[in-house]
Amino acid sequence: MRFFKIIAVILILVVGAYAASMYFFVDENKDFKIEKEVDYPIDKVFSQFNNLQHFTRWNNFFTSSPSIDIDYYTPYEGQGSAISYVDPKNDTDGEMFIRYENPAKSLRYQLFEDRNESPTVVDVQFKPVSADKTKITWYVHTPKLSVFRRVENFWTEDRFAENINKSMVSLKNVLGNKVEKDNQMAAIKYDSLMVENEEDKLLLGINVSTSNKKDALYKNIVMNYNKVYNFVSMDLGKKDDEFGYPVLITDADNYKDKEVSYFLGIPLSKKIGVSDNNFNFRSVNPSQNYVIYYKGNYEGRIRAIQQLIQKAKKDEMRFGDIRQTFIERPMEGQEVNMKLSLTVYK
């Protein structure tokens, strides 16, 4: 009996010492600042923060768990927008609000976690460093913690910083794809033959053989594009701003054949595990290309392809595959908007 009394006294002393040290030496809440720079203009960056549907696609707090479920509430963007989330696997839930917005300058978020009545308040400021670079500063104010939970403040800042580091990698990938698409659209000159050096790409897609009868080929392309798009967006959970324009690769002169074989894929930033054997990855090596942008019915692309082949022959260049990059998604009954690229070499 005496032994248990001694143990009880020791436990009381230890708990008391812990509580006293937490009370006198550890702050009840934490305030800290984190700064980062991204190589994109402020208008592109700010729109990824003030739109919560965009925000949750790249922020590691929301993307790190595959089981998290998010509901969005109007107005979806800017001051007054909000989300709620539930993560059954990690047994967490919460709500997030944008309480204040100064367009292209600052935002204030409030995050309520696990039914905690006190929120984490995060003020984010945006400052253009140059036309193509933005400085982002987070000012974080954590909620007050009880004496027995204050030990959590020892790792709060490190955990928040780690989350931001991972989020910045995802944000740069998202902005890279978005800016690349915007720049490509702005640079289009239709029906003019150009020379381009194309970087390597990693495509996830499908191999197809189909009839080249009137309209049958394009209908087949639309069908298989929808298959690939649905697999990437739904099965793999990728959003539109996380991948590039769809690319169809085929022999340059097979438009004359009765049957056509092609590979249709969507560019991704890295290889990931794919369980469906219908889909596979294909690497596209860097190359020099003769390029024409074309808009019209799909059959009309043949003339543009012939121009590219004639140019290659005139320049005494050998040529390989033709790549058809769909600037607008292929849809049955509608004109195509595409970039035709003929790979050439000596």
Side-chain angles (χ1 to χ4, degrees):
M1 188 73 178
R2 184 178 176 182
F3 172 77
F4 290 110
K5 286 183 178 179
I6 293 172
I7 294 296
V9 170
I10 291 173
L11 285 174
I12 291 170
L13 290 174
V14 169
V15 172
Y18 170 81
S21 63
M22 290 295 108
Y23 182 81
F24 288 108
F25 300 113
V26 180
D27 293 332
E28 60 184 355
N29 67 287
K30 190 89 171 175
D31 293 306
F32 53 90
K33 179 176 76 170
I34 296 175
E35 296 178 324
K36 295 287 180 182
E37 289 186 359
V38 289
D39 295 328
Y40 295 97
I42 195 166
D43 61 319
K44 304 289 185 186
V45 175
F46 189 80
S47 65
Q48 293 296 320
F49 281 80
N50 78 328
N51 184 313
L52 292 181
Q53 289 179 309
H54 294 165
F55 184 82
T56 55
R57 291 174 184 171
W58 55 264
N59 190 284
N60 185 69
F61 184 87
F62 298 101
T63 62
S64 58
S65 173
S67 61
I68 196 167
D69 182 57
I70 303 172
D71 290 320
Y72 301 87
Y73 304 102
T74 55
Y76 302 125
E77 181 178 301
Q79 186 171 324
S81 56
I83 61 172
S84 62
Y85 66 91
V86 177
D87 188 352
K89 185 177 180 180
N90 294 310
D91 193 28
T92 60
D93 61 79
E95 296 177 313
M96 182 175 174
F97 303 86
I98 296 181
R99 297 300 193 190
Y100 171 79
E101 176 187 30
N102 187 359
K105 292 185 178 180
S106 62
L107 291 165
R108 169 169 287 186
Y109 301 103
Q110 278 189 341
L111 175 65
F112 293 84
E113 297 182 79
D114 301 321
R115 293 172 290 280
N116 190 337
E117 293 182 1
S118 298
T120 298
V121 179
V122 183
D123 289 300
V124 187
Q125 293 186 356
F126 305 84
K127 184 178 180 180
V129 178
S130 67
D132 296 313
K133 182 175 285 191
T134 303
K135 181 179 180 181
I136 310 169
T137 306
W138 288 261
Y139 297 91
V140 183
H141 178 83
T142 65
K144 294 179 180 180
L145 297 178
S146 65
V147 168
F148 290 99
R149 288 188 57 198
R150 287 186 194 178
V151 67
E152 296 175 23
N153 284 332
F154 284 122
W155 56 77
T156 296
E157 184 173 350
D158 289 340
R159 187 177 63 181
F160 198 92
E162 182 184 8
N163 177 72
I164 286 181
N165 288 336
K166 291 179 179 178
S167 298
M168 287 297 96
V169 173
S170 297
L171 176 62
K172 288 174 183 177
N173 287 336
V174 167
L175 287 171
N177 284 327
K178 183 174 177 58
V179 170
E180 180 185 351
K181 288 181 179 180
D182 290 346
N183 289 345
Q184 198 165 350
M185 288 295 288
I188 290 179
K189 295 179 180 177
Y190 290 100
D191 303 319
S192 296
L193 199 151
M194 296 169 280
V195 179
E196 287 186 2
N197 291 317
E198 188 169 341
E199 297 179 354
D200 60 324
K201 277 189 172 70
L202 180 67
L203 304 175
L204 176 61
I206 190 169
N207 289 295
V208 181
S209 290
T210 188
S211 168
N212 195 21
K213 291 181 181 178
K214 183 173 175 60
D215 296 331
L217 174 58
Y218 185 60
K219 287 180 180 179
N220 184 267
I221 289 170
V222 171
M223 179 185 71
N224 284 294
Y225 164 76
N226 289 330
K227 283 184 185 177
V228 176
Y229 177 82
N230 289 336
F231 182 75
V232 170
S233 61
M234 298 175 68
D235 294 64
L236 301 183
K238 299 291 184 181
K239 306 301 181 184
D240 284 1
D241 51 11
E242 294 183 82
F243 51 82
Y245 295 117
V247 180
L248 185 151
I249 302 175
T250 187
D251 291 339
D253 55 1
N254 73 354
Y255 58 85
K256 298 178 290 188
D257 300 335
K258 291 182 178 180
E259 189 165 294
V260 171
S261 296
Y262 66 84
F263 175 87
L264 178 61
I266 286 177
L268 296 180
S269 58
K270 61 181 180 180
K271 273 194 175 183
I272 51 180
V274 175
S275 57
D276 192 329
N277 293 329
N278 291 313
F279 301 93
N280 58 85
F281 282 98
R282 178 164 174 170
S283 296
V284 178
N285 295 323
S287 61
Q288 184 182 58
N289 299 332
Y290 287 171
V291 171
I292 287 181
Y293 285 90
Y294 167 76
K295 194 170 187 178
N297 63 64
Y298 188 68
E299 286 297 313
R301 84 198 183 287
I302 294 174
R303 183 174 176 276
I305 293 172
Q306 289 171 337
Q307 285 181 258
L308 293 173
I309 292 174
Q310 288 168 6
K311 170 68 174 172
K313 290 179 176 178
K314 180 181 177 182
D315 294 345
E316 298 183 345
M317 301 285 280
R318 290 183 291 169
F319 57 87
D321 294 334
I322 189 93
R323 300 173 195 170
Q324 303 173 23
T325 303
F326 292 91
I327 307 300
E328 297 174 3
R329 63 184 297 174
M331 298 178 68
E332 195 169 334
Q334 294 192 13
E335 291 186 341
V336 296
N337 186 3
M338 61 164 54
K339 172 184 172 182
L340 297 162
S341 306
L342 180 69
T343 306
V344 296
Y345 49 94
K346 288 288 186 183

